[in-house]
Amino acid sequence: GAGVSQSPSNKVTEKGKDVELRCDPISGHTALYWYRQSLGQGLEFLIYFQGNSAPDKSGLPSDRFSAERTGGSVSTLTIQRTQQEDSAVYLCASSLEGRFYGYTFGSGTRLTVV
Amino acid sequence: AQSVTQLGSHVSVSEGALVLLRCNYSSSVPPYLFWYVQYPNQGLQLLLKYTSAATLVKGINGFEAEFKKSETSFHLTKPSAHMSDAAEYFCAVSGGTGNQFYFGTGTSLTVIP
């Protein structure tokens, strides 16, 4: 596609429920990233996929968070047993391989846990 | 290790005045540096990037930034602020392993008419 597409744009869920957030990167971008942006905070790195390499999961805050990337394209971030502190905007970005290239971000999914 | 510090979480300028948003970085390798802008309820958009070519980098919407190695800085400037510049601005450094970027905590720019 022309840009990075994220769905849903907004998600309200009850505490304790599981949620899945989807990211469709730009075609041909081998790198895909998930970040979390809490109110008034900067961007918190969650996870990074590069091609067929093992993902860098060093930013996942707990074992309730997981992500996968199927076929080197679409990625799903799953949060199990959601907590109120999980409320944030979840941003996905993709890029070509190499530090020269900046990220292209999606518009994010605003998650609210009530 | 790589990190970015943005001085001033909130900056207010009058319309037509100079915009200066500060960014200092720390990097154990030659850095690539980026500025992103985030308008309300939108994702981040790349403003400009430094990738070891010219130290003065020009970006979109009249913004520019100068890489100063001696000061480990990459401040963002615009000669004359416009109301449409009101947004959140993030500085980021890329370095080390992988493509991971390290973002600053952001600076919220308010433009006063």
Side-chain angles (χ1 to χ4, degrees), chain A residues 2 13 20-21 31-32 37 39 41 47 54 70 86 91-93 95 108 114:
Chain A
T13 190
E20 285 189 352
L21 312 180
L32 186 147
Q37 185 178 26
L39 186 63
Q41 302 296 312
I47 189 169
T70 55
D86 300 333
L91 292 167
C92 175
S95 77
V114 297

Side-chain angles (χ1 to χ4, degrees), chain A residues 39-110:
Chain A
L39 186 63
Q41 302 296 312
L43 276 73
E44 176 188 5
F45 167 74
L46 296 177
I47 189 169
Y48 157 54
F49 296 90
Q50 174 61 58
N52 295 321
S53 302
D56 177 355
K57 304 179 181 179
S58 60
L60 294 178
S62 76
D63 58 8
R64 296 187 295 104
F65 288 73
S66 63
E68 63 177 20
R69 188 179 185 190
T70 55
S73 182
V74 172
S75 177
T76 302
L77 177 68
T78 301
I79 308 173
Q80 296 179 309
R81 305 180 303 282
T82 52
Q83 303 295 313
Q84 288 189 327
E85 60 263 29
D86 300 333
S87 297
V89 175
Y90 290 81
L91 292 167
C92 175
S94 70
S95 77
L96 295 168
E97 184 175 357
R99 296 194 299 131
F100 179 86
Y101 302 101
Y103 294 177
T104 300
F105 280 88
S107 297
T109 294
R110 182 175 299 276

Side-chain angles (χ1 to χ4, degrees), chain B residues 4-88:
Chain B
V4 163
T5 301
Q6 290 184 243
L7 296 176
S9 58
H10 298 277
V11 170
S12 293
V13 300
S14 297
E15 189 175 16
L18 171 72
V19 176
L20 171 61
L21 305 182
R22 299 179 185 275
C23 173
N24 288 89
Y25 70 90
S26 172
S27 178
S28 56
V29 298
Y32 286 0
L33 294 157
F34 302 77
W35 275 99
Y36 284 85
V37 60
Q38 185 178 33
Y39 298 104
N41 300 314
Q42 295 186 26
L44 279 72
Q45 177 183 357
L46 181 65
L47 264 182
L48 50 78
K49 63 182 179 182
Y50 165 76
T51 55
S52 75
T55 56
L56 181 62
V57 181
K58 295 186 183 298
I60 62 172
N61 301 338
F63 283 93
E64 63 182 36
E66 185 172 9
F67 172 70
K68 292 187 177 180
K69 183 177 180 180
S70 61
E71 299 177 7
T72 60
S73 69
F74 190 58
H75 302 329
L76 181 70
T77 61
K78 181 174 181 177
S80 177
H82 192 273
M83 296 298 295
S84 61
D85 295 327
E88 189 88 15

